[in-house]
């Protein structure tokens, strides 16, 4: 592909991403993969270049762009070399016309920038949310005491964490294929450490998804005790079993939950769990480094629904924890309504509980919990709170 053809390809992909964001469709990475699957003429260098152009354009735009071309023109602003590729040659984009739409720059849609500012996330710092994320891995202690890591790793602050540059391809590394390492953001690893799971305990992962945190808990428990992984999404939960086999994690019980009827499936665990992890559904504002188009998908109505769901799941989790046990609340969000305010409201609703700020090697105190952030800690954005039942 010529340089101009790469730009045009990125524009076509951006159109798909924008349409999907408006309709709550497929994520950008899947759309890009599908686009190239039907265009075999594109070599590996072409795919890498087009993908990079598309993501750079997404990161350059604040409000959702009018079109893929408008997004690419925002990226081209001030870049004469990129503008020169709009020359109308074969497979290249048409020349730039004076006055045609150019997407607005910025961090996110205006209403969302205001919500972040209200949570003391200033825009200058928040722009780190649009940097490329590194590749973080967790050494799986269930697999081996010694692991031959691929070259290029640096220690992270997580107990078993290592960090690689963003472009690292780890999937074919022997350590990964053998289950000796798992891809997991350092912040996510730290939220698992906040659970302080011990062998022999009863631990419930209430919102397990595909099981990334469940596997970290299994390793901390050394496959001893009762570990229950729950979710309302059958497809996501089904991914846990093969991952557990690869990681050597045994004895995990998967429980499919019916939304708003969770206690029907979990009544046998009422007042018995040593710890319950609530990694609650949220806006994902802390994950924009990996999913920059997510900031175009979120609406105020969706945010309100997330907040209500988080509150309800915390109430469910409180029914499962034994006296003296602990509840760990996590969201990958930097918004106080999904973090500090949510933790405060939990304590108002539930007498007989107290908050204990987790002791982690990163993060800053935010209300009753800790906030992890890209600019301060080099992690995805998280809020984590630990409650203890008296």
């Amino acid at each position: 592909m010529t340089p101009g053809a790469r730009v045009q390809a990125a524009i076509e992909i951006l159109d798909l991403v924008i349409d999907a964001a408006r309709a709550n469709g497929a994520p950008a990475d899947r759309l890009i993969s599908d686009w190239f699957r039907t265009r075999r003429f594109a070599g590996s260098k072409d795919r890498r270049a087009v993908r990079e152009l598309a993501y750079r354009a997404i990161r350059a735009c604040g409000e959702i762009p009018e079109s893929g071309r408008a997004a690419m023109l925002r990226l081209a602003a001030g870049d004469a070399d990129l503008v020169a590729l709009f020359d109308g040659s074969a497979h290249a984009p048409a020349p730039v016309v004076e006055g045609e739409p150019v997407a607005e720059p910025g961090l996110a849609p205006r209403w969302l920038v205001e919500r972040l500012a209200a949570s003391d996330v200033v825009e200058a710092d928040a722009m780190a949310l649009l940097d490329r994320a590194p590749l973080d891995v967790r050494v799986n202690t269930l697999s081996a005491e010694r692991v031959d890591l691929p070259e290029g790793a640096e220690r992270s602050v997580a107990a078993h964490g290592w960090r690689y540059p963003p472009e690292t391809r780890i999937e074919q590394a022997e350590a990964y294929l053998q289950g000796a390492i798992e891809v997991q953001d350092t912040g996510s690893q730290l939220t698992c450490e906040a659970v302080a799971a011990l062998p022999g305990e009863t631990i419930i992962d209430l919102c397990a998804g595909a099981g990334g945190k469940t596997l970290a808990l299994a390793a901390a428990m050394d496959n001893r005790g009762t570990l229950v992984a729950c979710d309302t999404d059958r497809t996501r939960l089904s991914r846990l079993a093969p991952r557990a086999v690869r990681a050597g994690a045994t004895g995990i019980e998967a429980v499919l939950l019916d939304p708003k009827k969770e206690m029907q499936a979990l009544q046998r665990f009422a007042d018995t769990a040593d710890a319950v992890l609530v990694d609650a559904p949220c806006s994902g504002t802390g994950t924009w480094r990996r999913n920059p188009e997510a900031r175009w998908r979120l609406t105020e109505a969706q945010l309100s629904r997330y907040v209500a769901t988080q509150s309800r799941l915390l109430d469910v989790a409180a029914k499962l924890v034994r006296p003296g046990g602990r509840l760990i609340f996590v969201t990958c969000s930097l918004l106080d309504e999904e973090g500090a305010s949510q933790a405060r409201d939990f304590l108002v609703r539930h007498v007989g509980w107290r908050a204990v700020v987790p002791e982690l090697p990163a993060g800053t105190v935010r209300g009753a919990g800790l906030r992890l952030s890209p600019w301060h800690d080099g992690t995805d954005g998280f809020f984590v709170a630990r409650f203890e039942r008296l």
Side-chain angles (χ1 to χ4, degrees), residues 136 163 183-189 289-290 379-380 382:
D136 292 343
R163 170 161 290 180
V183 175
Q184 187 177 23
D185 178 73
T186 297
S188 179
Q189 295 178 52
R289 298 188 305 171
R290 304 176 193 280
T379 69
D380 284 352
F382 284 95

Side-chain angles (χ1 to χ4, degrees), residues 195-197 201 203 274-276 321 324-328 386-388:
V195 179
E201 288 192 315
I203 309 288
D274 294 289
V276 177
V321 179
R326 55 208 187 273
L327 191 166
I328 293 79
R386 174 177 166 138
F387 308 106
E388 294 182 355

Side-chain angles (χ1 to χ4, degrees), residues 11-311:
I11 289 173
E12 293 176 15
I13 288 172
L14 286 165
D15 281 328
L16 297 174
V17 171
I18 292 166
D19 289 344
R22 290 182 174 133
N24 201 25
D29 57 352
R30 188 187 310 167
L31 293 170
I32 293 172
S33 296
D34 290 345
W35 194 90
F36 281 117
R37 191 173 294 117
T38 59
R39 293 163 175 81
R40 300 293 184 181
F41 58 82
S44 60
K45 291 184 179 179
D46 294 321
R47 292 194 297 271
R48 192 159 48 248
V50 171
R51 181 185 179 88
E52 176 69 14
L53 273 170
Y55 272 110
R56 284 175 56 204
I58 291 170
R59 290 184 170 96
C61 304
E63 299 283 346
I64 188 166
E66 178 177 320
S67 65
R69 182 178 172 92
M72 189 58 65
L73 287 175
R74 166 48 52 197
L75 181 63
D79 185 341
D81 291 338
L82 185 52
V83 171
L85 297 177
F86 287 73
D87 61 6
S89 61
H91 307 297
V96 179
V97 176
E98 185 177 355
E100 68 173 296
V102 178
E104 291 294 321
L107 172 66
R110 189 169 293 105
W111 75 269
L112 194 43
V113 172
E114 292 172 355
R115 294 291 184 94
L116 287 166
S119 300
D120 293 332
V121 181
V122 298
E123 187 165 355
D125 288 336
M127 292 305 291
L129 287 166
L130 300 182
D131 292 339
R132 291 188 66 187
L135 175 72
D136 292 343
V137 301
R138 174 181 58 82
V139 171
N140 176 21
T141 55
L142 293 175
S143 176
E145 292 185 5
R146 288 179 56 84
V147 177
D148 291 327
L149 289 168
E151 293 183 359
E154 296 181 355
R155 287 290 283 120
S156 73
V157 296
H160 304 289
W162 293 82
R163 170 161 290 180
Y164 290 90
E167 66 276 5
T168 304
R169 300 178 65 85
I170 205 76
E171 293 82 0
Q172 298 305 313
E174 192 67 21
Y176 180 83
L177 295 173
Q178 292 181 353
I181 56 175
E182 294 282 345
V183 175
Q184 187 177 23
D185 178 73
T186 297
S188 179
Q189 295 178 52
L190 292 176
T191 63
C192 293
E193 292 180 24
V195 179
L198 296 172
E201 288 192 315
T202 296
I203 309 288
I204 299 175
D205 187 352
L206 193 60
C207 310
K213 291 183 175 67
T214 306
L215 296 180
L217 295 175
M221 297 169 69
D222 197 25
N223 279 340
R224 289 181 284 160
T226 300
L227 180 54
V228 184
C230 314
D231 207 87
T232 58
D233 189 321
R234 184 186 300 273
T235 300
R236 293 181 67 195
L237 193 59
S238 68
R239 298 179 187 136
L240 172 57
R243 294 184 70 186
V245 170
R246 173 179 161 275
T250 60
I252 300 173
E253 179 182 355
V255 177
L256 182 65
L257 301 177
D258 191 358
K260 299 185 179 181
K261 298 179 181 179
E262 291 87 356
M263 284 305 298
Q264 291 184 9
L266 297 173
Q267 188 60 47
R268 60 198 163 106
F269 295 107
D271 298 314
T272 65
D274 294 289
V276 177
L277 170 61
V278 181
D279 180 15
C282 70
S283 64
T285 53
T287 66
W288 289 350
R289 298 188 305 171
R290 304 176 193 280
N291 306 293
E293 86 281 6
R295 65 204 207 280
W296 298 341
R297 295 172 175 270
L298 186 65
T299 67
E300 292 181 88
Q302 287 173 329
L303 178 58
S304 295
R305 289 194 291 271
Y306 282 131
V307 171
T309 297
Q310 293 156 14
S311 178

